[in-house]
Amino acid sequence: MSIRNSLLRTYFARRMKAIDRFRRHPDQVQAEMFRQLIARGADTEFGRRHGVAKHLTPEAFAARVGVQDYESFKPYIERMLAGEKNVAAPGRVTLFARSSGTTSDRSKFIPVTRESVWWNHTLGMRDVAAVYASAKPQTKIFDGKTLTLGGSYVRENGALIGDLSAVLISQTPFWSGWFRAPKMETALIPDFDRKIEGICRECTREKITAFAGVPSWNLVLMRRVLEYTGKSNLLEVWPDLEFFAHGGVAFTPYRKSFAKLIPSEGMTYLETYNASEGFFALADDLTRDDMLLMLDYGTYYEFRSGEQIVPLEGVRVG
């Protein structure tokens, strides 16, 4: 086992203890998230307008703020896009994930704070690795790299706007290159076809042990890799390939295609719920098809039943 593998296993073992804590004490962990979020939001424009104060209870918060949707929140987002500070988050927000909207807009612009990059989205992907390492103690996944296929972004008025994947890749530190492929400049090529060609040139010579991303995008990449290399399946290109963390769309329609491209009984597929709005859940049990709601990622969850709003402890199975 490599030194890198050993160090990562030590970190992931500690993280699994934290995950087990919120499995056992979900109400306590969510209460901590609520207090942190209220404290951060009290001095913002949104917080002052709605009477948010650090001493508020969840019930008082729900009564003062009311149910919000994208349209009601849109004026705050527009002000953040314009560069205003302390609108709905402390300081200036300079990262925005462009998401296909189900509202009247063609696209939604989701503010992404730098804190949420690290403590939400990045922690989510680290927990994917922690869960996998816990389930597969003999894995050699960390001896290679994870191939991540992302989108692109543009800069407007001092802000970075683009697909969530591109926003996250742009914010990763230099040492992420030890674990992820392709290089950042290749990953962020705006033209998708040029990006695919760049990945083929660069990554077919790398030791790739895992993939991460949207199944439909990755199928296009994988088929092009086979054309580029002249191989019949991906194990002939990357014999150590063993894991795919996927999200964005349902995986079931793609499962047979992936099985054909990667004919290995040892290949593991793990579903994640990583949306532009946040990283919310992942499949913590590889033998089941449900996902674990991640409770310590800086999100406080409320659930709606008709007109009634309840916190997590108010939810009942079924």
Side-chain angles (χ1 to χ4, degrees):
M1 184 185 297
S2 68
I3 294 177
R4 180 165 70 176
N5 238 330
S6 299
L7 292 174
L8 287 171
R9 284 178 183 278
T10 301
Y11 166 78
F12 291 146
R14 289 201 302 268
R15 180 57 194 160
M16 290 303 293
K17 292 181 179 178
I19 293 174
D20 186 58
R21 177 180 175 244
F22 71 67
R23 282 197 190 101
R24 291 182 289 110
H25 307 290
D27 53 340
Q28 294 179 18
V29 174
Q30 277 288 276
E32 293 169 8
M33 292 297 99
F34 179 81
R35 289 192 293 269
Q36 291 176 21
L37 291 166
I38 290 296
R40 283 180 55 78
D43 293 329
T44 64
E45 171 65 21
F46 182 91
R48 289 190 294 270
R49 178 169 295 187
H50 290 85
V52 174
K54 296 179 182 179
H55 64 274
L56 277 188
T57 63
E59 295 77 15
F61 173 81
R64 292 189 185 188
V65 175
V67 176
Q68 306 286 315
D69 59 18
Y70 184 78
E71 289 303 313
S72 64
F73 204 72
K74 185 178 174 182
Y76 296 97
I77 295 176
E78 291 176 339
R79 289 171 59 184
M80 287 187 275
L81 279 165
E84 280 194 55
K85 297 180 179 179
N86 302 314
V87 178
R92 183 182 177 188
V93 178
T94 58
L95 306 172
F96 295 85
R98 181 185 282 114
S99 175
S100 298
T102 55
T103 63
S104 58
D105 284 345
R106 294 181 61 185
S107 294
K108 295 184 293 184
F109 295 91
I110 310 300
V112 181
T113 65
R114 296 188 185 278
E115 290 82 3
S116 72
V117 167
W118 185 252
W119 293 112
N120 183 272
H121 295 286
T122 303
L123 182 55
M125 293 311 298
R126 281 181 287 170
D127 280 353
V128 167
V131 165
Y132 181 70
S134 177
K136 303 281 188 177
Q138 303 306 315
T139 180
K140 296 181 180 179
I141 188 175
F142 308 116
D143 290 333
K145 294 184 177 181
T146 296
L147 201 162
T148 304
L149 180 58
S152 61
Y153 68 81
V154 297
R155 293 190 181 274
E156 297 179 5
N157 191 32
L160 189 154
I161 303 171
D163 299 300
L164 173 68
S165 55
V167 171
L168 298 181
I169 289 172
S170 74
Q171 299 302 302
T172 54
F174 76 92
W175 47 260
S176 66
W178 302 341
F179 308 98
R180 193 200 70 234
K183 296 176 182 177
M184 187 178 296
E185 53 266 32
T186 304
L188 295 176
I189 293 174
D191 183 81
F192 187 75
D193 291 332
R194 285 186 55 232
K195 188 200 306 280
I196 294 294
E197 292 305 306
I199 291 174
C200 287
R201 289 193 300 270
E202 179 182 329
C203 296
T204 49
R205 299 189 299 270
E206 292 269 18
K207 182 177 181 178
I208 302 298
T209 54
F211 274 76
V214 179
S216 53
W217 291 6
N218 276 275
L219 271 182
V220 174
L221 168 62
M222 291 174 176
R223 287 167 175 159
R224 178 60 190 129
V225 166
L226 295 184
E227 292 176 359
Y228 180 84
T229 60
K231 304 296 184 182
S232 60
N233 66 69
L234 288 181
L235 295 179
E236 295 178 2
V237 183
W238 297 302
D240 300 301
L241 190 59
E242 62 174 275
F243 182 58
F244 179 36
H246 59 86
V249 297
F251 187 63
T252 301
Y254 300 96
R255 187 174 294 277
K256 289 184 178 179
S257 296
F258 276 87
K260 185 177 180 180
L261 291 171
I262 312 170
S264 169
E265 293 183 359
M267 186 69 184
T268 299
Y269 300 91
L270 188 150
E271 185 171 11
T272 66
Y273 189 167
N274 189 14
S276 299
E277 292 82 359
F279 198 118
F280 299 122
L282 60 87
D284 65 316
D285 186 339
L286 302 182
T287 66
R288 295 165 50 163
D289 60 1
D290 56 3
M291 289 187 279
L292 175 68
L293 196 64
M294 307 306 285
L295 303 183
D296 62 350
Y297 286 4
T299 298
Y300 179 74
Y301 292 96
E302 295 175 307
F303 299 82
R304 184 174 182 176
S305 177
E307 295 304 312
Q308 183 184 16
I309 306 296
V310 298
L312 181 63
E313 57 263 36
V315 174
R316 300 292 177 266
V317 175

